[in-house]
Amino acid sequence: FITQHKWRKTIRAVLNMDSAGSGGKSLLFQCGPANAWLAKAFASTVPHPRASSLAQDLFQANVIPSDTDYRIFRDVGHIPGVDLAFYKNGYVYHTPLDAADAVTAGSLQHLGDNALALIRAFTRSTSPY
């Protein structure tokens, strides 16, 4: 998709919603270097802002041996974006206990509220990308 689809050139930003556990409040943990407009959009529009610059540094330094689906858009498509995830009860991640019904409704609402606000901000953005 990212290298051949006709829509590729119309993508201004990617919002990746992820999980490293079964609940808790969502956290912006990556928004990429040189994309200050993404951080500003997040900080000024989402109703429940939670972010960590440390998490981004740990990912970029490969200290966290994991990745997200956003990586392909970032590395191959060179498209700016953000990663949001909740991580409470991370011990269930990728185990037999990792099931959709273990995710709390409040966690989904928190992530959804922030995601919707951020998508709306992306569509209103005047960023040159």
Side-chain angles (χ1 to χ4, degrees):
F1 174 85
I2 200 59
T3 61
Q4 299 174 8
H5 199 279
K6 64 183 178 182
W7 294 347
R8 182 266 174 255
K9 294 190 185 294
T10 66
I11 300 171
R12 298 177 79 190
V14 172
L15 169 58
N16 183 58
M17 294 181 286
D18 215 322
S19 176
S22 64
K25 296 178 180 178
S26 65
L27 175 75
L28 183 145
F29 65 96
Q30 288 192 101
C31 72
N35 293 309
W37 72 275
L38 294 172
K40 288 177 185 175
F42 181 82
S44 65
T45 63
V46 302
H48 317 290
R50 295 187 76 230
S52 171
S53 60
L54 175 62
Q56 179 164 312
D57 290 343
L58 293 174
F59 265 87
Q60 288 179 349
N62 293 318
V63 173
I64 297 175
S66 183
D67 216 333
T68 72
D69 295 331
Y70 169 59
R71 182 183 62 81
I72 297 299
F73 292 91
R74 182 192 66 215
D75 295 352
V76 177
H78 308 289
I79 298 172
V82 300
D83 274 313
L84 300 177
F86 39 80
Y87 56 90
K88 186 176 178 183
N89 301 325
Y91 62 89
V92 305
Y93 187 58
H94 287 185
T95 72
L97 301 173
D98 195 1
D101 61 352
V103 179
T104 65
S107 295
L108 292 175
Q109 187 68 54
H110 189 270
L111 179 62
D113 288 348
N114 284 350
L116 180 58
L118 197 51
I119 289 169
R120 287 178 172 155
F122 286 174
T123 62
R124 291 188 305 265
S125 172
T126 57
S127 169
Y129 189 86

